[in-house]
Amino acid sequence: MIYIVCGPTGSGKTEVAKILSDRFNAPIINADAFQIYKDMDIGTAKISKDDPYYLRHHLLDIKEPSESFSVMEYQRLFREKVRDLQRNYANIIVCGGTGLYIRASIYDYVFNEEEPADTSDLEGMSIDELFELLKVLDEKACESLHKNNRKRVIRAISIARSQKVTKSENISAQEHKLLYDVRILMLNPNREKLYENINARVDKMFEEGLVEEVKALRKRFKLSNTATAAIGYKEVIDYLDGKLSLEDCKELIKKRTRNYAKRQVTFFKNQFDLEMYENKEQLLEKVK
């Protein structure tokens, strides 16, 4: 059995994963898109290397912050890791809040291999022109994109140009069936409690040295676009570059994290057949 502990950031997933790891003698697979990066510890609320449970985790600290990472690569590594662990363990815990990574890994999603298409001709086009072009190439893709998200629209055009079938056609062709025997457990505290946890977590990150962590990362690496997409890091970079005051930086991280948590809740509720619990006590009482 694979027990998937999911939910919004700040909901207490890591603590539950530890308890279930003991209960079922199970290893833990990370399902957080940014905890895969080495030295991005404080801002991702990663389990400490001094914590004895750190050694039970897999797919943590596997990439340099200068490297890009994708859902397709995570899917491959996840499935390889599950095959390896199932040789010795009857149960596995998956813990994280990156819903797209989890969905792509446990369902029969197949990625089209693609060579990046040239998009230099798109730079001078307006967002309206880009959106109309995407409609011609892959009209269904427009349904899931916000018209003003220029970066994602260009990305969708690039994919449509490079693949023999469109992204939408590829998704439609999937059977959307689970590949594993899973039990999906979602922690979803009430909104007031969750926001209180998030605000406290951000304050703690600054107390523990988030600014110093980002300074050290910038000295050692040319951070990839994937790494700097992590909430907390891009805002501190703006603070270090003089674009934000420290207090504005903290408040922006709290606001963006709260907004992200809302999106996480919506994604998990809509994309998975899951059991939802308001707190760890409820969850642990039901999962034995």
Side-chain angles (χ1 to χ4, degrees), residues 1-2 81-90 92 180:
M1 173 72 75
I2 297 179
K81 183 57 65 176
V82 167
R83 283 195 297 271
D84 181 50
L85 292 174
Q86 284 181 332
R87 296 189 182 101
N88 298 304
Y89 296 95
I92 296 171
Y180 308 100

Side-chain angles (χ1 to χ4, degrees), residues 15-269:
E15 186 177 356
V16 168
K18 289 180 181 180
I19 295 170
L20 293 181
S21 176
D22 282 336
R23 185 171 292 181
F24 297 118
N25 184 33
I28 303 169
I29 297 178
N30 165 54
D32 182 286
F34 301 108
Q35 291 187 4
I36 59 103
Y37 283 112
K38 299 174 184 176
D39 301 316
M40 290 178 62
D41 302 330
I42 297 172
T44 65
K46 189 187 299 175
I47 186 171
S48 169
K49 293 181 178 65
D50 296 329
D51 191 311
Y53 288 89
Y54 178 86
L55 296 177
R56 299 189 189 184
H57 279 72
H58 300 266
L59 303 189
L60 277 182
D61 297 328
I62 59 173
K63 286 285 181 179
E64 299 288 349
S66 56
E67 296 179 282
S68 294
F69 195 68
S70 69
V71 61
M72 182 167 67
E73 186 172 1
Y74 179 84
Q75 180 200 69
R76 176 181 60 80
L77 293 173
F78 177 94
R79 292 178 181 177
E80 289 174 355
K81 183 57 65 176
V82 167
R83 283 195 297 271
D84 181 50
L85 292 174
Q86 284 181 332
R87 296 189 182 101
N88 298 304
Y89 296 95
N91 299 296
I92 296 171
I93 311 299
V94 175
C95 179
T98 306
L100 183 60
Y101 280 24
I102 296 171
R103 182 165 179 80
S105 299
I106 66 174
Y107 284 89
D108 65 329
Y109 190 87
V110 178
F111 289 92
N112 285 333
E113 294 295 334
E114 62 180 86
E115 291 294 331
D118 181 21
T119 57
S120 58
D121 61 315
L122 305 179
E123 297 306 317
M125 296 175 65
S126 69
I127 188 62
D128 289 329
E129 290 170 328
L130 290 170
F131 207 70
E132 287 304 312
L133 175 58
L134 181 58
K135 281 184 181 179
V136 173
L137 295 172
D138 187 1
E139 185 173 9
K140 192 168 180 61
C142 297
E143 298 174 6
S144 60
L145 288 176
H146 193 287
K147 182 178 178 180
N148 293 327
N149 193 329
R150 185 181 182 91
K151 182 177 178 181
R152 288 195 64 194
V153 171
I154 290 177
R155 172 65 176 160
I157 291 172
S158 174
I159 291 173
R161 283 176 168 181
S162 65
Q163 296 182 342
K164 294 178 181 179
V165 297
T166 68
K167 179 181 178 182
S168 301
E169 288 170 339
N170 186 42
I171 292 174
S172 297
Q174 313 298 324
E175 294 183 43
H176 304 288
K177 67 178 181 180
L178 282 165
L179 301 179
Y180 308 100
D181 184 13
V182 301
R183 190 170 173 184
I184 304 175
L185 314 166
M186 179 181 176
L187 273 173
N188 187 27
N190 68 68
R191 188 68 58 86
E192 183 179 350
K193 176 62 175 175
L194 180 63
Y195 286 2
E196 181 183 311
N197 291 349
I198 288 170
N199 292 339
R201 172 184 279 189
V202 173
D203 287 335
K204 185 179 179 183
M205 286 176 177
F206 278 90
E207 292 170 7
E208 291 179 344
L210 178 59
V211 172
E212 289 70 26
E213 179 174 273
V214 176
K215 284 181 181 178
L217 286 167
R218 294 182 86 190
K219 283 183 180 179
R220 295 179 55 203
F221 304 102
K222 185 180 186 308
L223 299 177
S224 70
N225 290 335
T226 315
T228 53
I231 297 173
Y233 291 88
K234 53 189 174 185
E235 293 82 6
V236 171
I237 288 171
D238 282 345
Y239 159 66
L240 293 173
D241 289 344
K243 298 176 183 178
L244 290 172
S245 70
L246 184 59
E247 283 308 309
D248 286 345
C249 174
K250 290 179 181 179
E251 290 307 310
L252 187 57
I253 293 172
K254 290 177 182 178
K255 178 182 177 181
R256 286 178 172 171
T257 305
R258 293 193 300 265
N259 290 339
Y260 176 56
K262 284 194 290 186
R263 296 196 300 274
Q264 286 176 297
V265 170
T266 299
F267 185 92
F268 282 114
K269 284 183 176 179

